[in-house]
Amino acid sequence: YTEIKVEIKEKNIYVISLNRTNTANAVSRKMNRELDHAFRQAELNDDVKVVILRGEGKHFSSGHDLGSDIQMADTDFPQQIDPRPRGDYTKWYENDVEACLRWRHLRKVVLCGLKGYCIYHGTVVSACADIVLGTPDLKYMPSLVENNIFPWAANLNMQQVKEILFTQRFVLANEALKLGIISRIVPKASLDDELIRLAKVIARGDSYHLWMMKKMSNAVYDSAGIDMHIRSGLDTWATFRRDSQYVGNVKTKDHGGNSKRLAPVQSSLKGDKWKLSLTMSDETEESYQSKL
């Protein structure tokens, strides 16, 4: 692996770390393939009971890699870089939709630790986990993405989901907790230790029993159509992205432009958007800063 790190702790805890700190752990196609392979290796290892997904550095993930040198030089699977719409669709379908659905259904318990930025595709990757812990500095920003899992991550609180998407603002830790995006808030310095501590408790259980409990719990959303919704949502995303290219709204490097950014990060850290994020998290600027 070159873009992730993997280590086994206590024999039965498999730790996967996003490891591109120079891009705030942006998810390239190469990283996605490495993640898919690592998850598969964890699933095939009978000793492993719990998988931990985390990020190196200050942030969990800034979302998709939209044009780094590594991304632009990746010519593996040329059908995914076909300049026609079929190329974009195939890339998103294979790397984002089907890969993340596989990870969601992994026959192991998956824990995730969120800190700093968790933006766009980062929110999708984290939502594949069974239990997510977050730190007080969490800045979570979902969007209309190729894998539309946010309504499910937010437990189908649809008015709040729409308000967050329409305003394109950050969800801070307290609001993420209220929505059920994270299970609880832990100090940033303690995040990794708490993930290991929780994993050790869970790993005392029988592997098959843990899998059956996960299947039973996931079946609640399965019966409501989560997989079908996510697969069909890709059509919506592809339509939006293609239209945006023609009208000039999306000019990222991976689509022939110059920018490597899409999320409105800077505008969401000030003004009315930031005030709304603080309000919905029951915070003031002073109380928020005191927790960092």
Side-chain angles (χ1 to χ4, degrees):
Y1 301 126
T2 61
E3 303 206 356
I4 66 172
K5 295 196 304 184
V6 169
E7 59 180 323
I8 296 179
K9 294 183 177 291
E10 308 287 331
K11 186 178 178 180
N12 51 23
I13 300 171
Y14 192 93
V15 182
I16 302 174
S17 301
L18 310 185
N19 190 32
R20 296 186 71 203
T21 55
N22 60 320
T23 62
N25 294 325
V27 182
S28 65
R29 291 195 302 135
K30 186 174 184 181
M31 178 189 276
N32 204 85
R33 293 195 295 272
E34 291 186 1
L35 282 171
D36 199 41
H37 185 272
F39 276 120
R40 181 61 174 160
Q41 293 306 303
E43 190 164 58
L44 293 173
N45 188 331
D46 288 339
D47 290 331
V48 172
K49 294 184 178 181
V50 181
V51 177
I52 292 175
L53 179 64
R54 60 177 298 280
E56 285 289 304
K58 297 179 180 179
H59 308 288
F60 177 72
S61 175
S62 58
H64 273 123
D65 184 329
L66 298 176
S68 74
D69 291 342
I70 289 175
Q71 177 82 338
M72 300 305 290
D74 183 2
T75 56
D76 289 343
F77 303 97
Q79 68 272 22
Q80 297 178 12
I81 53 176
D82 187 320
R84 295 172 293 178
R86 69 184 66 189
D88 278 349
Y89 194 93
T90 300
K91 175 183 67 176
W92 295 322
Y93 178 81
E94 294 180 356
N95 290 294
D96 302 334
V97 172
E98 295 305 318
C100 288
L101 287 178
R102 283 195 298 275
W103 305 343
R104 178 179 176 271
H105 292 294
L106 203 75
R107 296 195 305 270
K108 311 286 181 175
V109 175
V110 180
L111 309 182
C112 182
L114 297 186
K115 57 187 176 181
Y117 288 134
C118 181
I119 296 174
Y120 282 25
H121 190 58
T123 69
V124 175
V125 173
S126 69
C128 298
D130 302 298
I131 301 171
V132 184
L133 307 185
T135 60
D137 68 331
L138 175 62
K139 297 182 182 70
Y140 183 101
M141 181 185 286
S143 179
L144 171 64
V145 291
E146 65 298 318
N147 182 325
N148 289 282
I149 203 170
F150 178 58
W152 305 90
N155 293 296
L156 304 180
N157 293 289
M158 293 310 300
Q159 290 196 49
Q160 290 163 289
V161 164
K162 291 176 182 177
E163 183 261 345
I164 291 164
L165 293 178
F166 293 167
T167 57
Q168 274 294 270
R169 64 172 177 81
F170 283 114
V171 176
L172 304 182
N174 285 347
E175 186 180 8
L177 181 63
K178 288 187 289 186
L179 287 170
I181 294 169
I182 59 176
S183 173
R184 52 193 165 99
I185 301 171
V186 299
K188 190 166 187 175
S190 306
L191 179 60
D192 289 332
D193 290 341
E194 190 58 34
L195 287 167
I196 292 293
R197 188 177 297 113
L198 179 59
K200 286 180 179 179
V201 173
I202 294 172
R204 295 172 188 163
D206 172 73
S207 297
Y208 188 70
H209 192 201
L210 291 170
W211 179 25
M212 291 300 102
M213 287 188 286
K214 176 170 179 170
K215 276 175 61 68
M216 180 274 296
S217 300
N218 279 1
V220 176
Y221 280 173
D222 294 342
S223 62
I226 182 173
D227 286 16
M228 180 176 65
H229 168 254
I230 289 171
R231 287 190 173 105
S232 65
L234 176 58
D235 301 345
T236 307
W237 166 254
T239 300
F240 156 73
R241 193 66 190 261
R242 198 63 180 173
D243 178 74
S244 295
Q245 286 176 251
Y246 280 112
V247 300
N249 291 341
V250 178
K251 297 181 179 179
T252 53
K253 288 188 71 175
D254 61 336
H255 285 78
N258 298 314
S259 175
K260 292 187 286 186
R261 296 176 176 85
L262 185 60
V265 172
Q266 294 306 315
S267 65
S268 297
L269 290 172
K270 58 188 178 182
D272 290 338
K273 285 187 179 183
W274 183 242
K275 290 178 182 177
L276 187 55
S277 294
L278 290 170
T279 298
M280 296 304 294
S281 198
D282 297 322
E283 296 273 18
T284 63
E285 184 66 42
E286 292 73 20
S287 67
Y288 176 76
Q289 293 297 331
S290 70
K291 295 179 180 180
L292 303 184

